[in-house]
Amino acid sequence: MNARLSLLLVAALLVGLAVYLWLQPEAPKQPTPAPVETSARGTASKASDQFLILAASWEPAFCETVRNKPECASMGKSRFDASHFSLHGLWPRDEYCSVPTTIEQLDRDGRWQQLPPVDLPADLRKTLDQVMPGTRSQLERHEWTRHGTCYGADEAAYYSAATALLAQLNASRVRDLFAGSIGKQLTQAEIRSAFDDSFGAGAGQRVRVACEDDGSRRIIVEVTVGLWGTVTDSTRMSDLIRAARPTDGGCSGGIVDPVGSQ
């Protein structure tokens, strides 16, 4: 098995594990939305009240392990994702809703360049290219195929929601904490406290921290945020977070990685 395929399989397992762990605590009190579309691989929820996970990456840490990716090879200290969270994805409960078997297999094989292009307005595409550096590797095609198809709306609505939520995270004290701690250690407690400060008491209990070992260092690669509700242009992320159920906090902490090989 080549190194690229191994990395893709590990990434898929991590996504599955994150969703599994989020679903372990007591089920939310809110009713599950009625399905609107069914496939062998999942059920698409209406784009109304539903459980979602916002996955926000810390790109310099991600690039420590996959430096040959286009988005990593071109990364510099002045680029947006050097000091802001970048979009990994917005994940409903299910995956691959009404996706043809051939397309699903392309995705699972990591042949993202062969997946159907994502149809977005020019202004949204420009925003997405900035906040999701992985578009240089067709990450947006993968995320739509695996997760967005279960969101219950079209590509533009899905990515409008995802980028709007990420913008609120990047405008918060959480982002300020990370940007002010580059090269330093942050604890899970500090991160969760920043979520409380930004999005209301208890918000931090809906956040998991993901870390990876990089030699002798442990680095923070991502935070995932539990959400419940309907995402609209006027939706406050604080309301969505506090409506979700608590979860475990993930890793105990790690270094906020700077740009470049450490």
Side-chain angles (χ1 to χ4, degrees):
M1 184 180 295
N2 61 42
R4 183 170 182 272
L5 183 55
S6 296
L7 285 170
L8 291 170
L9 289 174
V10 169
L13 287 171
L14 288 174
V15 170
L17 178 60
V19 175
Y20 171 79
L21 289 171
W22 268 105
L23 295 177
Q24 292 314 293
E26 182 180 355
K29 296 179 180 179
Q30 302 90 338
T32 301
V36 295
E37 187 175 33
T38 303
S39 77
R41 301 303 306 166
T43 300
S45 297
K46 293 180 181 178
S48 57
D49 280 2
Q50 59 177 310
F51 174 68
L52 299 165
I53 296 173
L54 175 67
S57 297
W58 191 254
E59 197 73 4
F62 168 76
C63 286
E64 286 285 4
T65 58
V66 285
R67 298 169 189 163
N68 61 331
K69 275 187 169 288
E71 61 267 32
C72 297
S74 62
M75 191 177 193
K77 293 182 179 179
S78 62
R79 207 169 76 180
F80 179 85
D81 51 306
S83 57
H84 295 77
F85 290 105
S86 60
L87 180 63
H88 181 174
L90 184 63
W91 304 335
R93 290 179 184 274
D94 294 313
E95 299 179 345
Y96 298 113
C97 293
S98 297
V99 174
T101 302
T102 53
I103 299 299
E104 180 182 340
Q105 193 58 53
L106 286 174
D107 184 68
R108 291 186 179 279
D109 290 345
R111 291 182 284 171
W112 297 350
Q113 73 280 2
Q114 297 179 38
L115 295 173
V118 174
D119 185 18
L120 300 176
D123 57 343
L124 180 55
R125 166 58 71 173
K126 183 177 179 180
T127 297
L128 191 64
D129 286 342
Q130 179 186 49
V131 304
M132 181 185 259
T135 58
R136 295 163 177 82
S137 300
Q138 293 80 48
L139 176 62
E140 82 283 11
R141 299 186 187 189
H142 160 70
E143 288 296 315
W144 168 254
T145 300
R146 182 171 179 176
H147 302 289
T149 53
C150 299
Y151 181 69
D154 63 15
E155 296 104 314
Y158 172 69
Y159 277 114
S160 290
T163 55
L165 291 170
L166 187 77
Q168 292 187 54
L169 179 59
N170 275 323
S172 74
R173 295 179 186 177
V174 182
R175 178 266 167 184
D176 294 343
L177 174 66
F178 270 72
S181 303
I182 293 174
K184 303 175 183 177
Q185 185 89 13
L186 274 184
T187 67
Q188 177 196 121
E190 289 172 321
I191 296 167
R192 285 184 146 194
S193 178
F195 270 92
D196 285 347
D197 290 343
S198 298
F199 301 107
Q205 296 299 313
R206 280 78 178 165
V207 175
R208 298 190 81 251
V209 182
C211 303
E212 288 187 9
D213 291 329
D214 179 47
S216 61
R217 306 183 310 147
R218 170 157 281 199
I219 55 178
I220 300 171
V221 296
E222 187 165 80
V223 295
T224 51
V225 186
L227 309 169
W228 178 276
T230 303
V231 185
T232 68
D233 292 341
S234 60
T235 299
R236 297 190 309 168
M237 189 169 165
S238 57
D239 294 335
L240 298 174
I241 294 177
R242 286 181 293 170
R245 62 192 176 282
T247 189
D248 72 276
C251 80
S252 60
I255 294 171
V256 181
D257 207 41
V259 172
S261 177
Q262 307 305 312

